[in-house]
Amino acid sequence: MSISVFNRRWAAVLLETLTRHGVQHICIAPGSRSTSLTLEAAANAKITCHTHFDERGLGHLALGLAKVTGQPVAVIVTSGTAVANLYPALIEASLTGERLVLLTADRPPELIDCGANQAIRQDGIFSHHPTVTLSLPRPTPDISASWLASTLDHAMSRLEQGALHVNCPFAEPLYGGDAAAYAAWSDELGDWWQGGNHWLSAGSEKRALPQRDWPQWQRRRGVVIAARMSAEQGKQVAQWAETLGWPLLGDVLSSSGQPLPCADLWLNNPQAQRLLAQAEIVIQFGGSLTGKRMLQWQAKCKPLEYWLIDHIEGRGDPANHRGRRLVSDISHWLALHPAEKRQPWAAQLTELSRKAQQHAIDALSSIFGEAQLASRLAQLLPENGLFFAGNSLIVRLIDALGQLPAGYPVYSNRGASGIDGLLSTAAGVQRGAKRPMLAVVGDISALYDLNGLTLIGQCTAPTVLIVVNNNGGSIFSLLPTPEAERERFYRMPHQLNFEHAAAMFGLDYASPHDWDSLLDIVQQRWHQQGVLLLELKVAPHDGAETLRRLVNDAAAF
């Protein structure tokens, strides 16, 4: 029984060390091998524990919490395939910069490769995707508590973005024993237990440096691309671009207010392309652009210099422009590079944007469906709330047809752009923010993460989840997929609806058939507690065909 007690002591030092690095939330899946970590997390007053029976969804719940809080979030799972289920969330975090600490319980070495139950090779299971990996030894009093604390401190000091994978083998027994045993081992850390400091302070400060030639560049013709960033940064970038008189191409995830809305439509216009070709410098803030026309223009533009500013390391520019890759917090970079007031140099884009937006509004005025929803989404947003955007077709429609308020918080999983775990991530975002939330996802995304409705049902403020049911993966209607095989192998119609799913998970349900009903239902929800699953049933190809038609129309403005 002494082994089980020491396992707990070991886990207590490990978890206390993580709290010193900002870990306040730990997401826990059921399992026996992870008992020591689970019980010590529950016993630590600094930690808020979250649970879910599905490890894949659990990883995405942690991802959502990390997006909102800006702090590292830990995950505890048992050994075996439970570990592998964390892979999608880890990959997303590695691309979008959230910090996850994956604590994977493991069998001790003597139980690996010998046929022992639930024992797989977990060291290196995530390949190169974690930012930092740490394979701990089996807990033993022969290793000092100070070694464990300093080892975790050093690993966390290197975790500026992405995931830390800590593999934690534990030998049996896992339960029982004299709780007072091995107190001297833990007491070696002395008054560290009563304080809040690291055992080992390590790391280096990274601060952006001013670009000395910025005063000259800001007097030239420039274009700003606003991609994924925080709500506050979106407002700052929009004001900065306006002061400079530079056109801002705003992505749906930028929270910039998209001052030139419907860019994915009017960028197909030859006049707009000729005008933007005069840009001498393009500055992009954030990564992961959504719209097809935006991506095409970004790839083809040839300014004298292309600057990309983002806090996430890596090149971030698939077009490989000549210029500068500046790793920095966006707000800090803007403060170092103030804008000089100048007149707009591409004012004609304002009229082109207005025409594209008005044409879309007129064309969609009587067409109830996902395109109309996308164009009018701002009317549905809760006051002082947040918005979670799904992937595939719906986010492209919102990017092309909608205009979200400047500074309104927008979240998504647009790093790897997968549909796995979207509901669970949205639930984590809402849980971390504790604010009303509107989320919009596609039907395949909802089916893929159906267990995530358990987490959605636990939202702590009024929540509306809109599931756009176009009976399959209609994003493939936008792609040149072979027509003969499109339905069976790409769209995969399912002939399902979500009314019974809502009932199964205890959610309110509605399926309006016109815009006025939809608007009324959503607005009522913001004045009452609970979660509403609103199913928008639409024809399979309408959204994709509408977008294609409006893009072609914009070319003739």
Side-chain angles (χ1 to χ4, degrees), residues 25-43:
H25 297 273
I26 297 186
C27 299
I28 303 172
S32 183
R33 190 61 56 168
S34 52
T35 287
S36 303
L37 292 167
T38 296
L39 296 182
E40 286 304 320

Side-chain angles (χ1 to χ4, degrees), residues 33 128 134 299-300 302 322 429 499:
R33 190 61 56 168
H128 61 275
L134 179 59
K300 293 178 181 178
K302 296 180 179 179
R322 179 178 181 176
V429 166
E499 183 173 5

Side-chain angles (χ1 to χ4, degrees), residues 155-183:
M156 288 298 293
S157 72
R158 297 160 58 200
L159 186 66
E160 296 182 359
Q161 61 191 56
L164 162 63
H165 175 211
V166 185
N167 200 53
C168 310
F170 291 103
E172 293 182 334
L174 301 169
Y175 306 94
D178 179 6
Y182 296 106

Side-chain angles (χ1 to χ4, degrees), residues 352-374:
L352 280 172
S353 173
R354 188 199 64 78
K355 285 183 178 180
Q357 186 178 42
Q358 189 59 52
H359 178 71
I361 291 172
D362 294 342
L364 297 171
S365 62
S366 59
I367 304 176
F368 181 64
E370 53 195 321
Q372 188 185 73
L373 170 72

